[in-house]
Amino acid sequence: MILLVRMLLVLAFSSFMVTGHASAQERGPLVLAAVSMQEALTDAANRWAALNHPRPVLSFAASSALARQVEAGAKADLFVSADEEWMDYLQGKALLRAGTRARLTENRLVLVAPGTSALKLRITPGFALGRALGSGRLALADPATVPAGRYAKAALERLGVWRDIAGRIVPAENVRAALALVERGVVPLGVVYATDARASGKVRVIGMFPASSHPPITYPVALLKTSSHREAEAFRRFLISREGRTILARRGFGAR
């Protein structure tokens, strides 16, 4: 009898260890997010994991590319877009969970140069952007599809300089790719989000575009309709909570 009890205790303990290990290794919800959110969402995911939750799995790319992946049937739980248009796109195709779309945070647009550049330029209507480029070109995210590029084009059009430099654009696949071109000195100037410049350390901000020169840069978040992860909605609520937004603000996100 004593031997039987000992065997049962060993089996119970082994079962607990296996179950506990499986729980510790459980994958968190899969989050598809605009690449400009990389550092901020990594911080948020780390904090969520520190609160004894499975750490969310983060996948970053241009909002346009991620929305197309969702449309094509990619299995994910949350989508964070760098603009409202791509979230509208998925909502129009009934791919979002009803009632879960919310505005997460905001950003600003800046003109950057390599860190060693001594260029000075005020961003005002009709400013001499073409002259500042010299024989070089301007890097920005592809304005045909990528939110950062759309915002940049809108700002340059509103300021009356787009027509002068439209043929001198280097359209990158996403805003971080545009940033990299400036970091490496491939181009003398680029247009990126303020948070990208802050995260880099290899570029110098020449100036910030007036908020009135482009549509508001807002980041919506929503649960995807096909999500089945038990923690997906809880993590979404964490992101839009005061603590979640504070984490994002430490990386420069939010109204300024």
Side-chain angles (χ1 to χ4, degrees), residues 38-87:
Q38 189 168 339
E39 292 79 15
L41 282 186
T42 296
D43 291 347
N46 289 341
R47 175 57 181 161
W48 186 246
L51 294 173
N52 297 318
H53 298 278
R55 188 183 186 281
V57 178
L58 308 175
S59 179
F60 300 102
S63 300
S64 51
L66 296 173
R68 295 294 190 189
Q69 290 176 24
V70 173
E71 181 184 21
K75 301 300 182 184
D77 299 292
L78 288 167
F79 177 47
V80 181
S81 174
D83 72 354
E84 302 291 343
E85 287 188 42
W86 282 109
M87 192 66 82

Side-chain angles (χ1 to χ4, degrees), residues 201-221:
K202 296 180 181 180
V203 299
R204 186 170 68 85
V205 175
I206 301 298
M208 185 174 290
F209 286 85
S212 59
S213 67
H214 54 78
I217 301 174
T218 59
Y219 289 68
V221 58

